[in-house]
Amino acid sequence: MTITLYNTLTRQKETFVPLEEGKVKMYVCGPTVYNYIHIGNARPAIVYDTVRNYLEYRGYDVQYVSNFTDVDDKLIRAADELGEDVPTISERFIKAYFEDVGALGCKKADLHPRVTENMDAIIDFVQELIKKGYAYESDGDVYFKTRAFEGYGKLSQQSIDELRSGARIRVGEKKEDALDFALWKAAKDGEISWDAPWGKGRPGWHIECSAMVKKYLGEQIDIHAGGQDLTFPHHENEIAQSEALTGKTFAKYWLHNGYINIDNEKMSKSLGNFVLVHDIIKKHDPQLLRFFMLSVHYRHPINYSEELLENTKNAFNRLKTAYSNLLHRLNSSTNLTADDDEWLKKIEEHRTAFEEAMDDDFNTANAISILFELAKHANYYLQEDNTADKVINAFIEMFDRIASVLGLTMGEQELLDQDVEELIEKRNEARRNRDFALSDQIRDQLKSMNIILEDTAQGTRWKRGE
């Protein structure tokens, strides 16, 4: 069997053939760290973590890089509003990001580069584009000559003329063409800045990913991924910058996950329907949110509501109950059944069906349906008078195999004493920092795992519930 995936660049499914046999270079655009992440940020984190899991399951050596944008206009505005500096804010929300996506079952990337730690690479990249005639300096700003790159618009499938009709030069911009975009922005008074050949300033948004891909993964990669909203202009501009510099195809495959709506309306701050992961996982098992996200194919839009999440909870609990029943029956079977081989064959068919679903453009919705089929057959089997540990173990192993790729945990997670102490220390630190939302989140997390906290004058004590 081979993996096929939908390539945004060609608008069709293609057989996945990496640049180097057995290896995958994968880059996923990460968040701008000026606030807690919303569920729109959580979706790519979950989706592409699952894609990486499956590629590794299929035997690929995956080099996975996802960046942090830790300086830009949003961070500068947040710093002004809060009376803090940009590094302090970015550090706080990078830490919060790891806590939130970690709770969602996402593994860390192999590398999480930050813009501020890669300024030399970004400046060198811009300099090379100027030397090649693809960029120009204008009063401290540097712009990319969009019309100089012949393939501009190929990812979003728009022509230069179509793009030109909607382009405008905003007040303060000193570019030659309305289509040109900023590679470097001259610093305003009081703004965070770095020295460059064109004067003090900071990178434009698009250049950071091109520079970090080149530095950490090389001039060509297999998969570049992110949300659908990044297709244009962010990813389009990345292609232009990178291919103008190297003359090579930047990314072979482009994956984009669909939008999230809230109660059937597009999520936006202006509508006041902005939902933070930080808040959701205070009220719900983080695994439930992951299950909810994966229950829809990654390219399709998702509609989120509390009611839908509750419905998903009932479905998820059915799977966990089936798994729990298997564990409960294990080691208490009579080990006398004439249908062992038939049941073992049936269980193995679920593995094949799961792989067929995931090979078809990482169809997690169909993969989850395979889990329900597995649970149904497990329930049927447990109703038999004579059951065998061998078959029960095979059911459990198949549950674990599929769930681990999806990043789901079927059984209850048992916290070790050391894990509890570390979480309590994080909670104490949050309370010292007056971050009561995080403090409450950790308390609720521990409570959901049957850990009871008691705050005393001598410190926080804990015990396991009965």
Side-chain angles (χ1 to χ4, degrees):
M1 293 192 293
T2 56
I3 295 173
T4 60
L5 49 77
Y6 184 86
N7 189 354
T8 306
L9 186 65
T10 60
R11 295 298 197 275
Q12 62 185 11
K13 285 185 182 178
E14 300 179 11
T15 299
F16 179 63
V17 181
L19 296 166
E20 184 179 351
E21 187 175 355
K23 297 182 182 297
V24 177
K25 293 180 178 180
M26 184 173 178
Y27 185 92
V28 178
C29 288
T32 301
V33 284
Y34 69 102
N35 200 346
Y36 295 107
I37 61 167
H38 53 69
I39 57 173
N41 303 127
R43 192 176 192 189
I46 291 168
V47 164
Y48 302 119
D49 176 69
T50 306
V51 168
R52 172 178 58 173
N53 288 347
Y54 188 66
L55 290 171
E56 290 176 341
Y57 169 86
R58 298 293 269 155
Y60 289 103
D61 177 12
V62 182
Q63 192 175 0
Y64 186 94
V65 177
S66 183
N67 72 301
F68 287 121
T69 298
D70 60 345
V71 61
D72 85 331
D73 292 339
K74 292 176 182 176
L75 272 153
I76 290 170
R77 284 197 297 270
D80 288 342
E81 291 169 4
L82 297 173
E84 298 180 286
D85 59 29
V86 167
T88 298
I89 292 173
S90 65
E91 190 63 39
R92 179 162 69 248
F93 289 116
I94 286 172
K95 182 179 178 182
Y97 173 85
F98 283 131
E99 290 172 351
D100 287 347
V101 300
L104 297 174
C106 299
K107 298 182 296 187
K108 285 188 177 182
D110 296 304
L111 288 169
H112 282 282
R114 307 181 187 192
V115 175
T116 57
E117 295 173 348
N118 290 277
M119 210 56 67
D120 289 345
I122 292 169
I123 290 170
D124 289 345
F125 201 111
V126 174
Q127 283 185 298
E128 286 301 309
L129 286 174
I130 292 173
K131 287 178 184 177
K132 286 178 173 284
Y134 284 101
Y136 58 93
E137 186 269 338
S138 177
D139 198 19
D141 296 330
V142 180
Y143 294 98
F144 183 85
K145 292 182 179 180
T146 301
R147 291 183 185 276
F149 180 68
E150 188 174 343
Y152 195 79
K154 62 184 177 181
L155 182 66
S156 55
Q157 297 195 348
Q158 301 177 84
S159 70
I160 282 285
D161 290 335
E162 288 173 332
L163 293 167
R164 179 68 182 85
S165 65
R168 300 287 184 272
I169 297 178
R170 293 194 294 269
V171 175
E173 292 183 321
K174 303 177 180 68
K175 51 188 178 181
E176 297 172 356
D177 189 301
L179 283 177
D180 296 347
F181 57 87
L183 301 174
W184 187 265
K185 297 181 178 182
K188 298 175 183 175
D189 290 342
E191 279 188 353
I192 185 171
S193 63
W194 288 261
D195 290 324
W198 325 282
K200 286 185 174 295
R202 57 188 170 85
W205 177 34
H206 314 296
I207 191 65
E208 64 183 72
C209 289
S210 287
M212 288 190 277
V213 168
K214 182 173 181 290
K215 178 176 177 179
Y216 295 106
L217 293 174
E219 293 181 344
Q220 295 181 286
I221 61 174
D222 297 291
I223 296 173
H224 198 313
Q228 185 179 338
D229 58 311
L230 299 182
T231 307
F232 184 87
H234 186 54
H235 288 163
E236 192 76 70
N237 290 352
E238 281 190 62
I239 290 175
Q241 296 160 164
S242 297
E243 296 188 2
L245 183 72
T246 68
K248 301 174 183 177
T249 298
F250 177 41
K252 192 172 182 182
Y253 305 99
W254 288 85
L255 305 185
H256 292 94
N257 60 271
Y259 292 108
I260 292 184
N261 295 322
I262 308 295
D263 292 323
N264 294 308
E265 287 189 302
K266 184 177 179 180
M267 183 177 69
S268 83
K269 285 184 176 179
S270 61
L271 293 174
N273 62 355
F274 215 66
V275 183
L276 300 178
V277 173
H278 191 72
D279 295 328
I280 295 173
I281 63 179
K282 288 179 188 175
K283 298 185 290 184
H284 300 283
D285 177 2
Q287 283 270 298
L288 178 61
L289 183 57
R290 184 179 184 110
F291 182 80
F292 176 80
M293 292 286 190
L294 295 179
S295 65
V296 176
H297 190 281
Y298 78 91
R299 285 193 288 111
H300 297 164
I302 287 182
N303 184 48
Y304 173 88
S305 71
E306 281 290 316
E307 181 181 358
L308 288 171
L309 197 61
E310 279 298 322
N311 292 339
T312 303
K313 182 178 180 179
N314 296 332
F316 190 36
N317 283 341
R318 289 202 304 273
L319 291 177
K320 294 171 76 172
T321 298
Y323 185 84
S324 177
N325 289 340
L326 288 165
L327 292 177
H328 180 72
R329 180 70 67 86
L330 190 62
N331 299 325
S332 62
S333 298
T334 60
N335 204 28
L336 234 167
T337 177
D339 295 323
D340 281 7
D341 290 342
E342 182 179 339
W343 275 108
L344 292 173
K345 181 181 177 182
K346 189 183 294 289
I347 293 167
E348 185 62 18
E349 288 171 356
H350 292 84
R351 179 188 65 80
T352 302
F354 166 69
E355 291 176 359
E356 287 175 350
M358 292 298 287
D359 281 346
D360 183 15
D361 195 26
F362 311 108
N363 195 329
T364 57
N366 285 355
I368 285 174
S369 73
I370 304 303
L371 268 180
F372 280 106
E373 281 294 307
L374 184 66
K376 181 177 73 174
H377 286 120
N379 290 335
Y380 286 157
Y381 180 71
L382 292 178
Q383 291 172 14
E384 295 193 354
D385 293 333
N386 296 317
T387 56
D389 287 352
K390 181 179 180 181
V391 176
I392 293 174
N393 269 315
F395 269 116
I396 292 170
E397 288 170 7
M398 192 58 65
F399 259 111
D400 288 341
R401 178 194 292 262
I402 296 173
S404 66
V405 173
L406 298 176
L408 299 171
T409 302
M410 291 293 104
E412 294 297 325
Q413 292 176 291
E414 179 69 20
L415 282 181
L416 300 176
D417 288 2
Q418 180 182 346
D419 298 328
V420 175
E421 295 290 353
E422 288 177 357
L423 282 169
I424 289 174
E425 178 51 37
K426 283 185 179 179
R427 178 172 175 268
N428 290 338
E429 182 183 350
R431 295 174 75 193
R432 287 193 293 270
N433 294 334
R434 303 187 67 77
D435 187 351
F436 299 117
L438 177 57
S439 170
D440 291 344
Q441 177 190 335
I442 294 172
R443 174 186 277 278
D444 293 342
Q445 178 185 348
L446 289 169
K447 184 179 179 181
S448 71
M449 294 179 174
N450 211 28
I451 304 296
I452 310 302
L453 301 184
E454 181 183 358
D455 294 318
T456 72
Q458 291 75 39
T460 301
R461 297 175 179 172
W462 66 274
K463 65 179 180 179
R464 297 186 188 276
E466 298 298 328

